Amino acid sequence: MAEKERDRRIQDMGTLKALAHPLRMRLYRALTLAGTATASQLAEQVDEAVSLASYHLRKLAEHGLIEAAEPGSGDGRERWWRPASDGVRIRDEDFRDAPEQIAAHTAASRLFFAQRSDMYLRFLDERPHWGEQWAPGAVSSEAVLRLTPAELAELTGEMLALVRRYDELGRAAEAAGDAEGRENVAVHTYAFPFRT
């Protein structure tokens, strides 16, 4: 298989709508965490029927968001999938040309936020079970800054570069066999202007 693209930029309505479906986004996230998986494995993770998961995985594949993967195990009758890229980016500037584009981008952004919010709420409920070793690193904070648009863009770029650096560090360590104590960690960052 070819090397995966990093942070594929979604610029068309069809792909945006394909990803901005609640079940498809859950399947895509589960597949991203698994690396490779079958429809059966993913259906179990999202608590849906295998046939429904298969249908939605094919829709994601039609838009190039996921692709066929080498079989991981089993008898070869079931199709294996993997994300087609290491992450996706959806930029506001790509969906400003028409009211239906603005509406689709807004709806997708709201869905992504709701799912991320659900993840954080689940963590809050489960926090006591994670143990005290995770407490110092798990954080929720808000900073109110006075910035120009250019400064906000620079801040965002620096934060994303830092996150990528730690992503690469974790991937390299796991590839070298250092998986002890590693867990999936969600980093959600929102930076936006507002007026009081």
Side-chain angles (χ1 to χ4, degrees), residues 11-13 16-17 91-108:
Q11 296 178 280
D12 66 281
M13 288 280 287
L16 177 66
K17 287 181 177 181
R91 311 270 314 236
D92 175 65
E93 64 207 46
D94 295 325
F95 298 97
R96 289 188 197 153
D97 293 343
E100 64 272 8
Q101 288 184 341
I102 294 168
H105 180 253
T106 299

Side-chain angles (χ1 to χ4, degrees), residues 120-136:
Y120 186 64
L121 292 173
R122 192 167 50 251
F123 163 73
L124 291 177
D125 292 341
E126 297 170 353
R127 184 170 34 195
H129 305 289
W130 279 100
E132 58 187 63
Q133 73 272 21
W134 286 97

Side-chain angles (χ1 to χ4, degrees), residues 8-73:
R8 175 185 168 200
R9 188 168 175 178
I10 296 174
Q11 296 178 280
D12 66 281
M13 288 280 287
T15 305
L16 177 66
K17 287 181 177 181
L19 187 60
H21 180 283
L23 179 54
R24 289 183 199 150
M25 189 61 221
R26 288 174 46 222
L27 288 165
Y28 182 81
R29 183 174 282 118
L31 183 57
T32 298
L33 293 174
T36 60
T38 65
S40 297
Q41 293 167 337
L42 294 169
E44 185 176 324
Q45 288 184 38
V46 299
D47 196 27
E48 292 290 347
V50 175
S51 59
L52 188 61
S54 291
Y55 170 80
H56 286 293
L57 289 167
R58 286 191 306 273
K59 289 296 179 188
L60 290 170
E62 284 175 20
H63 291 278
L65 293 162
I66 67 172
E67 61 191 13
E70 294 295 324
S73 64

